Structure formats: C-alpha cells, structure tokens
Amino acid sequence: MACIIILLIILIFSVSTFTCTECQENATTVEGHATFLFCKLDPDNENSTLTWTKDNHTLEPSPRIKMKGHVLWLLNTTSSDGGLYVCQSSNSTCSMDSRVLLSVEPGPCPSPQDPELAMEETNISLNCNEELIPVLGQRLQVQWWKDCKSTGIQGSELRLLNLSMSDKGSYTCMVIFRYEDRNYTASHTFQLTVIKKEPVVKPRVIQPHNKTLHVKPGMEIKLECTVLIGFGEQSNLETSVYWLINHSYVESYPELRQNLTTEMRENFLLYGNLTLFIPKVLPEFFSVPFQCIILSPSGTDTGQVWLSQDDDDTIHAWLIIVALLIFAAIVGAVLIYFVKIDLILAYRQCKTPYEGSLYNAYVLYLHGKSPGSSTAADLALRILPGTLEQQHNLKLFIQGRDADTEAGIHNMTDVLSQSKAVVLILPGNNGEENLIPISQDQDRLEDSQLSVLFSDIAHSGIPLLLVESEEDADYSLLPASIQSIVKKDRVLKWKPTVQPHGRFWKQLRYHMT
C-alpha cells in the first residue's frame, strides 16, 4: 500500500512539471520605432500566469516597456533590445513557451516579414489593420512606403490594381499613434512578388488544313497532324488532340490506333504530332472527312484530310502531261538560246541607228612579232568593212585605215568616247606563216601610242570584243590592264570558213548595235 502511495505522488509531481514548448519565430524592427511582440499562447484557465523574459531575464513594466494582454510593447526601440524573448504561460499542470528572436535594424524600414504572391495583371490588397499592428492609445495615420521610399499613399489598406512586374518589391506600412501625449511609429513590411503571367496561346492545327490523299483500297497508310498545343508543359495537361472519322471517334474502329508525341520548341511553345495508323483502307473511308481536333480551355481548331481512290489511268495521264510540259520547256529553252541574238538584232534594226554614238565600233588590230601583216590586219582592213559596213550599214573606225581627224575628232580618246564598242583583233603566234605584205598606207602605232590607247580603253568602260584571228592567238601582246577586262562571252574566234550570216557576224553585230 505504501508503494502505491509513493508512485501516485511521483506521478503528480511529474505532471506538474510538464512543459510544452512552441517553435521559435523571428521578428525584425527598426531603431526608434515602437516594437510589439505577440504571445501566441492562451492560458488554459484563470489560474495561468503570463511572464516575459529577455535572454533569460524577467521583464517588468516600465515607462518604455508596456505589457497589454498578450502583447509586449517596446517604445523607442534601441539596438540593445535585440535578443530572445520568451512568453511563458504556466499553471499547476503545464508550462507553455512562445519564443521570438528579435533583430533590431538601423532602418528606416524593417526587413520583409510577410511574403505576398500575386499574378501579373491581377489585383491585390495589403492591409495594415489593428490585427496586424495593434497600437497603444490612438492611431493617427498610416503611411505606405515602397522599397523604403514614401509613396504618398495613406490609409490602412493599399490596393494595387492590374499588377505589372514593376510593382514587385517591399511595401512598408508606417503606423503613427499617440500614447501618453507622445507620438510613436510602428511598422511592418510586406514582400510582394509578382509572378509573370503566361502568355495565352491559342491551340492551332498547323497541318493538315484541307488535304486530299490519293490511296488504294486495302493499302496501309498513316495520317499525320501537327498542332501547336500551348505555352509550357502544363498546357498539355488540359489539352486534347484526337482524330475523328466522318465525325465519329477513332475508337469505333478497333483496328486503328493513334499516337501523340510532343516537343518543346523555341519560346517554350509546346508542339505535338498526332499520328493515325490505318493498317487497311476500307471502302467507307473514301470521300468522308478525317478531322484532326485540338481542344483546350484557350480554344479549338480543326484540320481535315480526305481520302480519294487512286486511279492508275489518271496517274498515267498526269505523268504524260508533265513529261510533255518538261519536254516543251527544254525545247523552248534551246530555241531561245539559238534565236535570242536573231530576235534582238531584228528588234534593233527597227530603232534609230547608232543611238547617239557616231561609230558602232572602234577597230584595233595588233601586229604580230614577225614582220609583215598577219590575218589580223586582213580581217580588220578588208573582211570586217566588207561585211559590216557594206552589207549591214554599220559604221566602223578602223585604226590604220581612218584618219584621226575624220568628222572633227581630233584624237583617239574622242573616237573611243563616240564608239559603242571596241573590237580588238589579236594575231596568232605562228611564226611567219600566212603573212601578208604590209601596205605603205597602213598607219602603224608606236609602242608609246599603243600604251596610251590601251589605258584609254581600259578606263573608258566601253564593251571590249576580243577577236582571235588565228588558232594560236598571242595573248602576250595584251597588257595586264586589257587582259583584266576581257570577258569570256565577248571573245570570238574568226575562221575563214565563216558565212556572211554566220554566228560570228551575228555576235559582233549583237555587241555593236
């Protein structure tokens, strides 16, 4: 019996010393402001007592420390007020602690304590009411600061409408109250984070739109549908993509199956590809719509495919038509290539001759390294005039035949400026074969004169036609300034067998007129 009594006494004492400890909270305040700390414990009964301690030292009311209900006030907070505050509620059976670690900052605004999240383009209200900041005495004014700068806004509630990313930041409410004939300031800071609103992307069928496929009955095919699902992976959760066959679901045909694959592309846009596998084209699949549907809360879109029965005769007919068109195009291109010059020459004959130029061409032939006159001289002095001047009424200025003073032209530069083209005839490099005696009337240019003439030709911008009078043309006679302006399509080869209306003469006239 004595043992039982002893055990009961031990149990009673153990219950009386039971302690309940709450989690510790953190709080910040500003030097010079009034600081309030809440004791979040409710006494179980009227016999409970409430005590405050700071760093294990019991606090007593004073002109600067006020205790009102479950709130501890520190008026005109100083840096020494920082520390661990413990509110203890105890009775005969239980002792409960509420702990607050207070940090005192230089200010003027305390660090954020309450995070607020809001979506872009929405509205939010920040409340600085009596429940958030209770006051001693009379509340006089509430001011709102953003990022520790006054906004000029007053009132217990701050409403932010149609939020943008520029609205994010720290919002501090400064509560000014009067107590015992003095004004005090209590503050609280909200940290507002604005979440960027996801762009509204309407679902869209990229392809097909209204496509027709030519297939044969019984063949295996697959239909592809590419869609834009939306913005981000989340858009796929609320989007449906499916095929309809003649406005009926694919599930009506057990042998068919469809598969959707997705891919994230640029700007976080999610695309999808829906494939419909048809192992055997049935007769009822022809001339009915196959619809690719994409459906989401943002909208819907439809793409359509039609199956048409393939006709071999039609395909063969189309192949023949395409082949004929290709053949006609090739023949036309060949004809144009061969008759283009003839057409242009015929057109130019209808126009006024020379078009402002006195000469159709300035003709210059070079002498070979051997004494005597080569085929180049004969071509320039006899053959060219006989064909171009006598048969086609063109006007040539031939160096070695025409005087420099003809028609009031005083030098070779003037002749060049009034010529439509320059014909430079290059002799061969074949020794003394085919040499023609030099006529006493031929005016042969000195090397210095020839050098000046070459320079004038190179800088005149007048088209240069190079005629190779023999098989082995001697390009060493041309200075670098002339060789640099020679174009392949303006190099002509002279042969004695050329007919008066042959391609050689047509090309000459083409560049002269």
Side-chain angles (χ1 to χ4, degrees):
M1 185 67 180
C3 293
I4 295 175
I5 294 174
I6 293 173
L7 289 174
L8 289 174
I9 293 173
I10 294 174
L11 180 61
I12 291 172
F13 276 98
S14 65
V15 171
S16 65
T17 59
F18 178 73
T19 300
C20 303
T21 303
E22 295 291 325
C23 295
Q24 177 178 301
E25 294 185 355
N26 296 324
T28 59
T29 188
V30 175
E31 287 186 79
H33 283 196
T35 302
F36 55 93
L37 302 177
F38 285 103
C39 182
K40 296 185 178 181
L41 303 178
D42 291 328
D44 291 337
N45 52 53
E46 296 180 356
N47 296 326
S48 297
T49 58
L50 190 68
T51 59
W52 283 92
T53 62
K54 175 184 179 291
D55 298 332
N56 296 323
H57 297 287
T58 302
L59 295 177
E60 298 293 340
S62 68
R64 204 176 65 84
I65 300 176
K66 304 295 180 181
M67 300 178 185
K68 186 177 180 180
H70 293 167
V71 182
L72 172 66
W73 281 93
L74 305 175
L75 303 179
N76 290 328
T77 305
T78 64
S79 59
S80 62
D81 289 326
L84 179 62
Y85 289 79
V86 178
C87 167
Q88 187 176 65
S89 173
S90 60
N91 54 32
S92 59
T93 60
C94 181
S95 176
M96 301 182 68
D97 290 348
S98 175
R99 299 168 179 266
V100 180
L101 182 61
L102 179 65
S103 300
V104 181
E105 301 174 345
C109 300
S111 297
Q113 300 177 41
D114 289 339
E116 296 285 344
L117 295 177
M119 185 71 71
E120 190 179 20
E121 298 181 6
T122 61
N123 305 328
I124 190 174
S125 295
L126 303 179
N127 289 296
C128 194
N129 50 30
E130 291 279 353
E131 293 182 2
L132 182 68
I133 301 182
V135 297
L136 296 171
Q138 180 185 4
R139 178 181 282 215
L140 300 179
Q141 190 181 66
V142 179
Q143 300 176 354
W144 287 94
W145 292 34
K146 181 178 185 291
D147 296 330
C148 222
K149 294 180 181 179
S150 177
T151 63
I153 301 175
Q154 298 184 6
S156 298
E157 182 182 23
L158 175 64
R159 288 183 58 81
L160 301 174
L161 306 178
N162 194 24
L163 287 174
S164 65
M165 298 305 293
S166 62
D167 290 322
K168 65 181 179 181
S170 300
Y171 289 83
T172 303
C173 64
M174 302 282 191
V175 179
I176 302 172
F177 64 94
R178 190 167 184 81
Y179 177 67
E180 294 181 348
D181 298 327
R182 290 190 61 183
N183 289 348
Y184 297 93
T185 299
S187 58
H188 184 87
T189 299
F190 302 87
Q191 181 64 45
L192 176 61
T193 301
V194 179
I195 303 174
K196 189 171 182 62
K197 185 178 180 181
E198 294 181 354
V200 177
V201 179
K202 291 186 177 181
R204 179 165 55 92
V205 175
I206 298 175
Q207 65 88 20
H209 292 290
N210 195 17
K211 184 178 180 181
T212 300
L213 293 179
H214 297 276
V215 297
K216 293 181 180 181
M219 70 181 300
E220 178 182 344
I221 64 170
K222 62 180 180 179
L223 304 181
E224 303 282 354
C225 178
T226 304
V227 295
L228 170 60
I229 296 176
F231 182 83
E233 291 284 357
Q234 192 71 19
S235 60
N236 193 33
L237 301 179
E238 49 190 12
T239 301
S240 298
V241 187
Y242 53 92
W243 282 96
L244 294 179
I245 302 177
N246 198 18
H247 310 292
S248 299
Y249 290 104
V250 173
E251 286 72 19
S252 302
Y253 301 89
E255 68 276 12
L256 306 187
R257 60 186 179 91
Q258 52 187 341
N259 180 57
L260 177 66
T261 58
T262 60
E263 176 188 8
M264 186 73 72
R265 299 183 188 175
E266 68 280 356
N267 300 323
F268 300 100
L269 293 178
L270 185 65
Y271 289 80
N273 188 76
L274 180 64
T275 304
L276 176 62
F277 296 93
I278 304 177
K280 182 179 180 180
V281 175
L282 302 178
E284 59 263 32
F285 289 168
F286 292 107
S287 302
V288 298
F290 283 71
Q291 294 174 306
C292 177
I293 311 292
I294 180 169
L295 177 65
S296 78
S298 301
T300 183
D301 196 16
T302 303
Q304 195 161 260
V305 177
W306 298 82
L307 299 185
S308 177
Q309 189 164 346
D310 202 353
D311 189 343
D312 292 339
D313 293 337
T314 303
I315 294 178
H316 292 158
W318 276 108
L319 290 176
I320 293 173
I321 292 174
V322 171
L324 290 175
L325 290 175
I326 294 175
F327 177 75
I330 294 174
V331 171
V334 172
L335 289 176
I336 290 175
Y337 174 78
F338 283 104
V339 303
K340 179 183 73 172
I341 293 179
D342 297 271
L343 294 175
I344 294 175
L345 290 176
Y347 168 74
R348 289 176 179 174
Q349 284 181 349
C350 302
K351 298 174 66 177
T352 304
Y354 314 134
E355 295 184 352
S357 298
L358 183 59
Y359 299 102
N360 290 97
Y362 175 87
V363 181
L364 173 65
Y365 65 93
L366 301 182
H367 295 278
K369 298 177 182 178
S370 302
S373 178
S374 65
T375 307
D378 185 52
L379 179 61
L381 298 173
R382 182 178 64 84
I383 301 175
L384 255 62
T387 301
L388 297 179
E389 290 184 331
Q390 296 177 17
Q391 296 185 26
H392 297 287
N393 297 321
L394 300 183
K395 191 168 184 180
L396 307 177
F397 185 95
I398 302 176
Q399 184 66 40
R401 184 196 71 172
D402 301 318
D404 291 346
T405 57
E406 181 179 332
I409 299 175
H410 302 291
N411 52 55
M412 292 178 288
T413 302
D414 291 336
V415 175
L416 285 174
S417 65
Q418 298 195 47
S419 301
K420 291 198 64 175
V422 174
V423 177
L424 181 57
I425 303 176
L426 199 60
N429 189 16
N430 52 5
E432 298 183 357
E433 296 181 4
N434 302 325
L435 291 182
I436 302 172
I438 297 178
S439 170
Q440 297 297 326
D441 297 332
Q442 292 180 16
D443 185 11
R444 182 165 181 168
L445 295 176
E446 300 292 336
D447 290 344
S448 59
Q449 293 176 313
L450 197 58
S451 177
V452 172
L453 182 57
F454 281 148
S455 178
D456 290 341
I457 293 173
H459 294 90
S460 66
I462 300 173
L464 174 64
L465 305 178
L466 187 64
V467 177
E468 297 178 356
S469 62
E470 300 178 56
E471 287 293 336
D472 188 14
D474 190 0
Y475 277 83
S476 65
L477 299 175
L478 298 178
S481 60
I482 295 298
Q483 293 191 32
S484 65
I485 64 173
V486 173
K487 297 183 178 179
K488 289 184 178 181
D489 62 336
R490 293 180 181 174
V491 176
L492 306 179
K493 296 182 181 293
W494 159 255
K495 293 182 180 180
T497 57
V498 173
Q499 298 297 319
H501 296 284
R503 187 169 182 81
F504 172 83
W505 296 108
K506 290 179 180 179
Q507 289 182 319
L508 268 182
R509 290 164 54 206
Y510 172 76
H511 291 290
M512 289 181 183
T513 58

